[in-house]
Amino acid sequence: MARHVSESPVRHRQSPRRRSPSRREESLQSRSSRSPSPRTKRLRRAQGEREVGRSREREDEKHNSRRREKSSSREVERERDGEKEIRNRDRERRRDGENEKTRDVRDREIGNQSRRSGRDETDERRAGTDDERHSRGRHERSSSLSDRSHTQEVSNARRGDEELISEEDSIARMRAAEEALAAKKKEEPSFELSGKLAEETNRYRGITLLFSEPPEARKPSQRWRLYIFKDGEPLNEPLYLHRQSCYLFGRERRVADVPTDHPSCSKQHAVIQYREVEKEKPDGMMGKEVRPYIMDLGSTNKTYINESAIEPQRYYELFEKDTIKFGNSSREYVLLHENSAE
């Protein structure tokens, strides 16, 4: 018999359909394919800088913690060294005290031994003297009595010397006490100005003057003048120097009577002071006269009289036709008076 084969319809597998990408996926793919925006770049840079800063802060904290640990260990070592030094000092002090105590004890023992030996010797001497007294006769007794009197005299002399020494010591102590009392007595109060008060009284227009007039300062009776020359030619009018007892030369115009503007001159360079001094008159008699003197106030470039430098803080008498120069200035000041011959 022929087999009946049923023909079943053949099912063909259908290939899966490819889905078309959605708009969202397309936008994501386009974003991923594109380069990052500047905003994202900035954000990434900021994040990187933050991470770098955090790492640096961590490193700094670690470094600081190590330093602190090292400093703490050093402090601990120093404290230990200090404690060791203190302990060593205490031990040395204790040893010194023990040594002193042992020395005192030894000295005491030696003193006691010497005293005992002295007592024993005295006892032996006394026993010997007793035996000798019994054995000797009257002559020996008389000699012993004379020896006793001699020893008494020696002891009395020693007592007298000791009393004199004690009296001298007491007198010396009394004198020392009197000297101490005399030294402790308060000094008489002085009402003169000193220190800052004296400086304040010697101030003019807020500037401390380097010069104070002496008690013999006087105004001149003769009219003195200073004629100014530069390179041999006269400048301006003469300076009249008879209206005050002193004239200050310098660059500080607030206090200078005669300003010298040359840079080599000091602020308070020199002073011309009129002083009342005793002079011999033509007739041989002594009389008082007001004469001009000049003093350099410690200037850096000095003051010159007739081309010779003068010492600072010292009076130099000025005479007619003397030439004065200040520092390295080329100006020359010639001193004349009203009766000077031209």
Side-chain angles (χ1 to χ4, degrees):
M1 288 179 68
R3 292 182 180 179
H4 178 75
V5 178
S6 62
E7 296 179 359
S8 61
V10 178
R11 295 180 181 179
H12 297 281
R13 292 180 181 178
Q14 295 180 356
S15 61
R17 296 180 180 179
R18 295 181 179 176
R19 290 187 300 170
S20 60
S22 62
R23 293 179 180 177
R24 188 175 181 181
E25 290 176 353
E26 289 178 356
S27 63
L28 289 170
Q29 289 176 1
S30 63
R31 287 179 184 176
S32 62
S33 62
R34 292 177 186 174
S35 61
S37 63
R39 185 178 179 183
T40 56
K41 289 180 180 179
R42 291 174 186 171
L43 292 171
R44 289 175 183 176
R45 287 177 185 173
Q47 289 177 356
E49 289 176 355
R50 288 175 185 173
E51 290 177 357
V52 170
R54 289 173 183 173
S55 63
R56 287 180 180 175
E57 287 178 357
R58 290 172 184 172
E59 290 178 356
D60 293 337
E61 287 179 356
K62 290 179 181 178
H63 190 61
N64 293 328
S65 63
R66 289 175 183 174
R67 284 185 178 177
R68 289 172 185 171
E69 289 176 357
K70 288 181 180 178
S71 62
S72 62
S73 63
R74 288 177 183 174
E75 289 178 356
V76 170
E77 289 177 357
R78 288 176 183 173
E79 289 178 356
R80 289 177 181 174
D81 293 336
E83 290 177 356
K84 287 180 180 177
E85 288 180 358
I86 291 166
R87 290 174 183 173
N88 293 328
R89 289 177 184 174
D90 293 335
R91 288 175 183 173
E92 289 178 357
R93 288 176 182 173
R94 289 173 183 174
R95 288 175 183 174
D96 294 335
E98 290 176 357
N99 292 328
E100 288 179 357
K101 288 179 180 178
T102 53
R103 288 174 185 173
D104 294 335
V105 171
R106 288 176 183 175
D107 293 336
R108 289 177 184 174
E109 289 177 354
I110 291 165
N112 293 327
Q113 288 177 0
S114 62
R115 288 174 184 173
R116 288 173 184 173
S117 63
R119 288 176 182 175
D120 294 336
E121 288 178 357
T122 52
D123 293 335
E124 289 177 357
R125 286 177 183 177
R126 286 176 183 176
T129 52
D130 292 335
D131 295 335
E132 287 176 356
R133 283 174 189 173
H134 289 294
S135 63
R136 289 176 184 177
R138 294 178 181 178
H139 182 69
E140 290 177 354
R141 289 178 183 176
S142 63
S143 62
S144 64
L145 291 170
S146 62
D147 292 334
R148 287 179 183 177
S149 62
H150 181 68
T151 53
Q152 287 178 359
E153 289 176 359
V154 171
S155 62
N156 292 327
R158 287 179 180 175
R159 287 176 184 175
D161 294 334
E162 290 176 357
E163 289 177 356
L164 290 171
I165 291 166
S166 62
E167 288 178 359
E168 290 177 356
D169 292 336
S170 62
I171 291 166
R173 289 176 184 174
M174 291 292 289
R175 288 178 181 175
E178 289 176 358
E179 290 177 358
L181 289 171
K184 287 181 180 178
K185 286 183 180 179
K186 293 182 180 179
E187 296 179 356
E188 294 181 358
S190 61
F191 298 98
E192 296 179 357
L193 298 177
S194 63
K196 293 292 182 183
L197 293 174
E199 289 181 2
E200 291 293 333
T201 55
N202 200 26
R203 291 175 69 86
Y204 181 68
R205 293 183 181 179
I207 299 172
T208 303
L209 299 177
L210 301 177
F211 171 78
S212 58
E213 292 192 69
E216 67 271 13
R218 300 287 187 278
K219 285 185 180 181
S221 58
Q222 199 170 14
R223 295 185 177 181
W224 292 91
R225 300 171 185 174
L226 274 179
Y227 291 85
I228 308 171
F229 294 89
K230 185 175 183 180
D231 298 331
E233 296 181 0
L235 294 176
N236 303 328
E237 296 181 356
L239 301 173
Y240 298 95
L241 302 180
H242 62 275
R243 294 166 185 166
Q244 298 176 186
S245 59
C246 71
Y247 288 85
L248 182 62
F249 294 77
R251 287 190 297 107
E252 187 60 61
R253 287 180 170 268
R254 287 184 291 176
V255 294
D257 299 307
V258 182
T260 55
D261 296 329
H262 198 271
S264 65
C265 295
S266 301
K267 293 182 179 180
Q268 299 181 39
H269 197 99
V271 64
I272 290 178
Q273 177 70 56
Y274 291 100
R275 302 169 62 199
E276 187 180 23
V277 294
E278 289 187 354
K279 290 284 185 179
E280 187 177 357
K281 294 182 180 180
D283 57 358
M285 299 295 291
M286 297 297 294
K288 292 183 178 181
E289 186 180 354
V290 179
R291 295 289 303 170
Y293 289 82
I294 191 169
M295 178 191 287
D296 184 85
L297 300 178
S299 62
T300 55
N301 295 311
K302 298 183 179 182
T303 305
Y304 298 87
I305 301 175
N306 299 326
E307 297 184 357
S308 61
I310 61 174
E311 295 180 5
Q313 307 298 333
R314 183 179 175 183
Y315 282 117
Y316 286 84
E317 188 177 359
L318 293 174
F319 298 94
E320 186 183 359
K321 298 181 181 180
D322 279 345
T323 303
I324 305 168
K325 288 183 69 176
F326 302 103
N328 299 325
S329 177
S330 59
R331 294 191 179 187
E332 296 179 347
Y333 299 83
V334 180
L335 183 66
L336 298 172
H337 55 78
E338 58 185 352
N339 299 325
S340 298
E342 296 181 357

